[in-house]
Amino acid sequence: MAQGYLSRIALGPVGMRRLFNLYPPFRGAGIRVRHIDPDFRRVTVELRAGLLNRNFVGSHFGGSMFAMADPFYMIMMMRNLGRDYVVWDKAGAIRFLKPGYGTLTARFELTQAAVDEAVARTADGSKYEPVFGVEITDARGIPVAAVEKTLHIRRAGSSRPAAG
């Protein structure tokens, strides 16, 4: 999805939310994008418990929890930097803090300072690989997992990242 077909579609936040909510891997996992700010600075995603996303002991399947956090910082940064930048997911990690039951929520926030730093760090053509974090919380607001996403950002037309 990164620099491919979907990044070329000029969808606003409502259209993007609808597209995510129709995306089969999200639908099957019980993931719903609840809100995307008009400036793509805040996104709220929920994961509801269902037959297909519970593990052997009845808590949320960890893969579903990671999937609910996977693409959002990349997309938020892409939309804020614009077409003059290439943004890719570079790495991701999840740390499970406690079993997750019921509806889980992840709230993503991209600050102006983070966007400004990406612009400054890539001004000379260098790559920049910031790390963003988000907590996944249960219905009571208690963290059940912590996710880190590392992005690869560079100005378009700068040297391409090595394959592999």
Side-chain angles (χ1 to χ4, degrees):
M1 269 179 34
Q3 307 301 109
Y5 175 72
L6 290 180
S7 68
R8 290 176 175 67
I9 299 173
L11 290 176
V14 173
M16 187 72 86
R17 182 181 55 80
R18 288 181 180 151
L19 185 64
F20 274 123
N21 289 337
L22 292 173
Y23 186 50
F26 278 12
R27 286 180 63 92
I31 298 166
R32 297 283 299 172
V33 177
R34 290 295 176 197
H35 177 77
I36 301 176
D37 270 7
D39 60 2
F40 285 83
R41 293 288 178 87
R42 288 183 187 84
V43 174
T44 302
V45 181
E46 288 182 349
L47 173 62
R48 293 182 177 243
L51 182 63
L52 299 178
N53 64 4
R54 285 186 283 207
N55 63 23
F56 187 72
V57 296
S59 65
H60 276 285
F61 174 62
S64 296
M65 291 168 63
F66 186 76
M68 77 182 286
D70 187 33
F72 296 103
Y73 278 119
M74 179 187 76
I75 291 167
M76 293 164 73
M77 188 63 84
M78 287 173 68
R79 293 304 292 259
N80 276 271
L81 290 174
R83 295 184 184 271
D84 290 338
Y85 292 85
V86 174
V87 182
W88 290 97
D89 273 324
K90 177 88 175 194
I94 188 167
R95 190 176 77 237
F96 301 105
L97 306 173
K98 62 181 289 184
Y101 298 99
T103 300
L104 305 181
T105 303
R107 289 182 176 84
F108 302 85
E109 184 173 353
L110 181 65
T111 64
Q112 183 62 47
V115 175
D116 292 345
E117 185 170 3
V119 170
R121 295 277 200 104
T122 59
D124 65 356
S126 296
K127 69 179 180 180
Y128 174 51
E129 295 184 348
V131 177
F132 295 94
V134 66
E135 285 186 333
I136 298 173
T137 59
D138 66 15
R140 296 174 296 165
I142 297 171
V144 298
V147 177
E148 284 190 345
K149 295 293 298 189
T150 303
L151 301 182
H152 171 93
I153 302 169
R154 65 176 173 78
R155 290 193 56 84
S158 301
S159 63
R160 303 250 178 230

